Every structure is written in structure tokens, then in C-alpha cells.
Amino acid sequence: DKVLAELIEPYEVRAAKLREFLEDVKPSLCYDIVPLADPYGPSITDPDLQCLVVSEETRRGGEAVNKKRLENGLPELTLYEILLMKDPDHSQNEEEKISSSSLRQRLLGTLLRPPRQDPTLPSRPYVIGLTGGTGSGKTSIAKLLGQLGAFLIDADKLGHAVYVPGGPAYERVVAAFGAEIVNEDGTINRKVLGAKVFGNQERLKSLTDIVWPEMARMVKEQIREADAQG
């Protein structure tokens, strides 16, 4: 999940740096640098290996290697644990150790490469899609963009709007899922509807086939409105 091409150097560069480090530490050292195509590499198949260097954080990985070695009929490796170096300059919100996560955090807001010019895209309105899980910061970023003059379209609010009585999807949703999803005041009971569709892929698709095109249409309408406002 951490793969960001701009922050991970090519294999050849990383191998060259490792080679330079090993020769600096002990020129007479015999070593072999191999690319890893899977999480284990040769550690679970090489009978000549005797020791595996792990950190406080990767000890469980070392134990997993030994489990695989035993399954393959090989002796366990000695696990040599090293302490992690502390980062003296870490901020309050960063990890204490020297960490690539801290590096990525410090790079937030840095332009890693210039925007690509795409002649097929209109110069305006410029549409930005904010996605992410619960708590990922969508609302905060949207608020900041709004303060900078962006026209905000809240897809969650549109999702609710399509269900209201008289809304574009109301009649079709009731027809598809039955009168039992309707409250006494005529509104759709989203909990009852949710219980009908979640865990049932066929019903969920039936619902999204009704709702999503209407939401997309409403989004496009609001984009046109934003364009009209300049």
C-alpha cells in the first residue's frame, strides 16, 4: 500500500548504494545482492543461510520465515535483532524512528512533477474529485478548496437527495424494493433499505443502477452551474 513511484528509487540505484555501504563497512566481506520477487525471497529456500537480521518491527516477519523453512524441511535461522535509529528531527505527528512515512508526510503539498497538459480537457471548469475512506480528510480538504474559491459538490448530499419524495430515484427505488422501505411520512427508511441490499450483490447492483446515474446527472448539472458562475 505504500508504493509511490516518485519516492522509491530504482532497484539498480538501491543495490549500488547497498554495495557501497557493505564495502565501506568491511571490504573483505563476501555478499550477494538479489532482487526479491516475493515477501520471502531466498530466505525460505536457501539451505546455506544461517542467520536473518531483523528489526524490532520485522521480528514477526522473521518468525514467519522460520515457519516456512520448517515447512520446507530446512533448519530455522538465527534471528539477530537490531534496534531502530531514532529520528532526532521528527515532529509531533511523525514516528520516532527514521521512517519513509515521515518523508512522505513532509512531501505533502510538494509538486513532484508538473501537471500534464491534456488538450482534450477543457480549461474550465476544472474538476477535482476527492475520494477516500471515512476519516481520510475529504471534508477538511473540501473546506480548504472552498476557501480558495472552489465550487463544492457534495456527493453524499446528492446521494440523499435522489431518495427524497419527489426525487429522481424515489419512485423507482420504492417500486424495486417494496413499500416496506417507506416511513409513515413518505420518506425512504435508509436502514431498512440498507438491510435489504448489503450482503446481497444482486440487490445492491439493482440499487446502484437506479441511483448512480441520477447522482451523475445531478453532478453534471452542478458542474454546469459552477461554470455559469465562473
Side-chain angles (χ1 to χ4, degrees):
D1 295 340
K2 289 187 175 181
V3 174
L4 287 175
E6 295 91 345
L7 299 181
I8 296 178
E9 294 174 318
Y11 169 76
E12 294 76 16
V13 175
R14 292 156 66 200
K17 287 184 177 180
L18 178 57
R19 193 173 294 111
E20 183 182 347
F21 168 75
L22 292 171
E23 289 170 359
D24 186 47
V25 170
K26 190 173 183 181
S28 61
L29 191 69
C30 291
Y31 60 84
D32 190 16
I33 301 174
V34 295
L36 302 181
D38 61 73
Y40 295 102
S43 65
I44 59 172
T45 55
D46 189 338
D48 296 327
L49 293 180
Q50 297 175 320
C51 171
L52 187 63
V53 180
V54 296
S55 73
E56 303 163 69
E57 287 187 332
T58 60
R59 184 173 187 91
R60 286 176 63 188
E63 291 166 356
V65 164
N66 275 336
K67 186 178 176 184
K68 286 280 188 183
R69 282 182 71 87
L70 290 175
E71 290 173 5
N72 292 339
L74 297 172
E76 288 187 337
L77 300 175
T78 300
L79 298 182
Y80 181 80
E81 186 175 315
I82 58 170
L83 298 174
L84 294 168
M85 289 186 69
K86 305 296 183 186
D87 182 354
D89 300 317
H90 76 277
S91 70
Q92 188 177 355
N93 297 324
E94 295 175 349
E95 297 178 90
E96 282 190 19
K97 62 171 185 173
I98 293 177
S99 164
S100 61
S101 298
S102 298
L103 171 63
R104 283 193 295 278
Q105 203 163 332
R106 290 167 198 168
L107 283 173
L108 282 173
T110 304
L111 192 63
L112 296 174
R113 59 173 177 239
R116 292 190 301 272
Q117 295 297 321
D118 188 340
T120 64
L121 292 176
S123 59
R124 53 171 280 214
Y126 191 84
V127 181
I128 299 170
L130 284 178
T131 67
T134 303
S136 61
K138 298 187 296 295
T139 304
S140 299
I141 298 297
K143 196 178 292 182
L144 287 170
L145 289 170
Q147 290 167 1
L148 291 170
F151 182 102
L152 298 182
I153 300 171
D154 190 327
D156 284 341
K157 288 180 181 175
L158 295 185
H160 287 281
V162 296
Y163 288 99
V164 298
Y170 179 85
E171 298 290 348
R172 289 170 63 198
V173 170
V174 173
F177 295 96
E180 63 268 26
I181 68 169
V182 180
N183 292 317
E184 289 183 7
D185 62 0
T187 59
I188 289 176
N189 187 318
R190 293 170 67 87
K191 283 188 177 178
V192 175
L193 178 60
K196 281 176 170 279
V197 299
F198 291 116
N200 185 318
Q201 289 299 315
E202 196 174 323
R203 283 186 169 185
L204 183 59
K205 186 177 185 309
S206 297
L207 179 63
T208 55
D209 283 350
I210 296 170
V211 171
W212 285 358
E214 295 298 340
M215 286 178 64
R217 186 180 56 75
M218 292 168 82
V219 167
K220 287 173 183 173
E221 280 179 8
Q222 292 209 3
I223 290 173
R224 284 194 289 272
E225 184 184 334
D227 189 24
Q229 291 182 19

